[in-house]
Amino acid sequence: MEPPYHSIESLFNQLGLDSSEQAIESFINKHKSLPGHVELSKADFWTNSQATFLKEMIDEDSDWSTIVDLLDSMLR
């Protein structure tokens, strides 16, 4: 059985954000330069539910954790 695959588009959908290529690029450009000492889920641009989702996915090492890690690196 193949493990689930989540794309950056599906992560943005899950977070309730516009998942078009242009919107993702715009979001990354707007929020890029997240300081290294700030956990992704603690960034000030997330809603409470978005932050909770991101934190839980990493803490639980869920099938979303790989794409959440990618988003984290894209924002640094």
Side-chain angles (χ1 to χ4, degrees):
M1 188 161 93
E2 242 181 84
Y5 169 77
H6 298 290
S7 65
I8 194 72
E9 293 84 8
S10 63
L11 177 58
F12 272 65
N13 282 330
Q14 187 68 28
L15 292 169
L17 300 171
D18 184 343
S19 62
S20 69
E21 187 176 325
Q22 183 179 10
I24 293 171
E25 185 177 328
S26 177
F27 181 91
I28 301 282
N29 289 334
K30 179 178 181 181
H31 300 293
K32 196 168 188 156
S33 74
L34 185 63
H37 67 279
V38 175
E39 289 180 37
L40 177 63
S41 64
K42 295 193 180 196
D44 63 3
F45 46 82
W46 302 121
T47 65
N48 287 338
S49 61
Q50 290 169 330
T52 299
F53 174 79
L54 292 167
K55 181 168 178 31
E56 287 177 357
M57 295 307 98
I58 294 298
D59 288 351
E60 296 170 7
D61 195 25
S62 77
D63 58 344
W64 286 96
S65 63
T66 301
I67 199 66
V68 172
D69 284 340
L70 176 63
L71 177 60
D72 188 14
S73 68
M74 293 169 83
L75 292 171
R76 304 287 172 178

